[in-house]
Amino acid sequence: MKLGWIHGGTLAASLDGDTWRDVTAILAELPAPSIDDGHVDWLISHLPRVREAVARAIDGAPKLTVNDATAWLSPVRRPGKIVGIPVNYQDHVDEVEQARQTFTNRYTGSIRQQGFFLKASSSLVGPSEGIAIRFPERETHHELELAVVIGQRADRVRPEDAAGYIAGYCIGLDMVVRGPEDRSMRKSLDSYSVLGPWLTTADQIADPGSLFMWLDVNGSRRQSCYPRDMIMGIAEQIAWISESCTLWPGDVIMTGTSSGVSRVVPGDRILCSIEGLGSMQVDVRAA
């Protein structure tokens, strides 16, 4: 199933990947949010019930026209946390080493030595909302990533069990302003976490490592890779993160980027795609 939010509060669902329906009415079947839901995404936390309700309602739900003009919001509305994995492709490690003036010497060592980092949940937007450059005098770079959305509470998970905790996958843009500060600061600017265009549930993706990913800026190819080339795979990431902090429904893991990261400026248009997950256009503007 593919599930996403469209501007205006419409919940859209597709069971075949082509025909989209307005299933907003099923939200009335879910328990009302409570004060105890503060660190989970309400929809993702009820995903099994959502899937059952969509299956019952979708044939009679209004059809939606989905095209390049559709204003997709983030499929996760309120993640408890967004977790980033640093330097997770060897070609990006090499790229960093060759451009220390840009990337600085602050971060060296293996992924585990550097540690995962957190991005402010307030940085999250959907593709239709675009990226707002807050510090135009500094370089902002795009980083295309496979985003993993957690579907259930995960505490000290074993790698061999990790797949069972995944709700689904999205395209992720982990934007960053370059400089000497901690990653969490430079990656937490408003609009610097773009997620979309929708959530593809985990059962639809047999092998996430085989999904071809690419990103263009103004029609020019900048990044392309397969997640199978990650240094630390998805299962190990979930196990590693959950050793330190519990993952909750709706938490997002940005799994790392490949080489080809480069500067974007207001007026640029980013187009990115991951096989099986869709494509999204993201416009860059001044804040």
Side-chain angles (χ1 to χ4, degrees):
M1 181 177 70
K2 298 182 187 298
L3 195 68
W5 291 102
I6 296 174
H7 183 75
T10 298
L11 181 64
S14 174
L15 297 184
D16 61 10
D18 296 316
T19 305
W20 287 88
R21 302 273 185 165
D22 179 350
V23 296
T24 312
I26 70 149
L27 299 177
E29 302 181 31
L30 303 182
S34 75
I35 194 171
D36 296 324
D37 293 336
H39 56 299
V40 301
D41 181 275
W42 176 64
L43 188 71
I44 303 299
S45 67
H46 296 295
L47 190 58
R49 294 184 63 169
V50 170
R51 296 183 63 163
E52 293 174 1
V54 168
R56 291 195 306 269
I58 197 162
D59 286 342
K63 287 186 177 181
L64 291 170
T65 299
V66 170
N67 52 39
D68 292 343
T70 302
W72 291 104
L73 302 175
S74 170
V76 179
R77 301 304 301 152
R78 295 189 180 276
K81 52 187 170 292
I82 303 170
V83 187
I85 305 299
V87 290
N88 200 19
Y89 288 78
Q90 186 59 50
D91 59 359
H92 182 50
V93 174
D94 297 340
E95 179 178 56
V96 169
E97 287 298 328
Q98 294 169 13
R100 277 294 172 191
Q101 185 175 359
T102 297
F103 292 96
T104 81
N105 289 314
R106 182 179 177 90
Y107 302 101
T108 57
S110 69
I111 296 172
R112 287 182 177 269
Q113 288 170 333
Q114 294 190 41
F116 60 82
F117 57 89
L118 299 178
K119 302 188 68 171
S121 58
S122 57
S123 69
L124 185 64
V125 295
S128 69
E129 296 168 275
I131 297 163
I133 304 295
R134 188 175 286 263
F135 300 110
E137 72 281 5
R138 297 174 61 173
E139 291 193 25
T140 285
H141 286 195
H142 59 76
E143 297 186 352
L144 172 65
E145 314 205 3
L146 175 64
V148 174
V149 179
I150 298 297
Q152 58 178 303
R153 183 179 181 273
D155 179 18
R156 288 162 286 192
V157 172
R158 298 183 303 174
E160 57 267 32
D161 298 328
Y165 293 85
I166 299 173
Y169 305 93
C170 309
I171 303 172
L173 277 177
D174 179 16
M175 305 301 295
V176 56
V177 60
R178 296 299 178 195
E181 302 91 350
D182 185 83
R183 279 191 180 97
S184 290
M185 175 181 175
R186 294 183 291 104
K187 289 173 172 275
S188 287
L189 279 64
D190 294 350
S191 78
Y192 273 39
S193 300
V194 188
L195 200 66
W198 47 71
L199 175 77
T200 300
T201 54
D203 61 293
Q204 299 296 305
I205 305 299
D207 177 16
S210 67
L211 305 179
F212 181 62
M213 307 164 53
W214 57 263
L215 178 147
D216 291 353
V217 177
N218 302 328
S220 175
R221 183 62 45 90
R222 299 290 178 85
Q223 292 186 273
S224 62
C225 68
Y226 289 91
R228 63 181 176 229
D229 295 325
M230 291 178 186
I231 297 170
M232 178 184 286
I234 293 169
E236 187 180 354
Q237 291 177 36
I238 294 172
W240 178 43
I241 296 165
S242 67
E243 287 176 359
S244 301
C245 54
T246 301
L247 291 164
W248 294 91
D251 282 356
V252 177
I253 302 175
M254 295 286 196
T255 59
T257 196
S258 67
S259 64
V261 302
S262 62
R263 187 177 190 178
V264 292
V265 298
D268 283 346
R269 175 163 290 177
I270 300 171
L271 180 63
C272 47
S273 180
I274 300 181
E275 183 182 5
L277 306 186
S279 301
M280 64 183 192
Q281 178 180 290
V282 185
D283 291 336
V284 183
R285 67 183 188 280

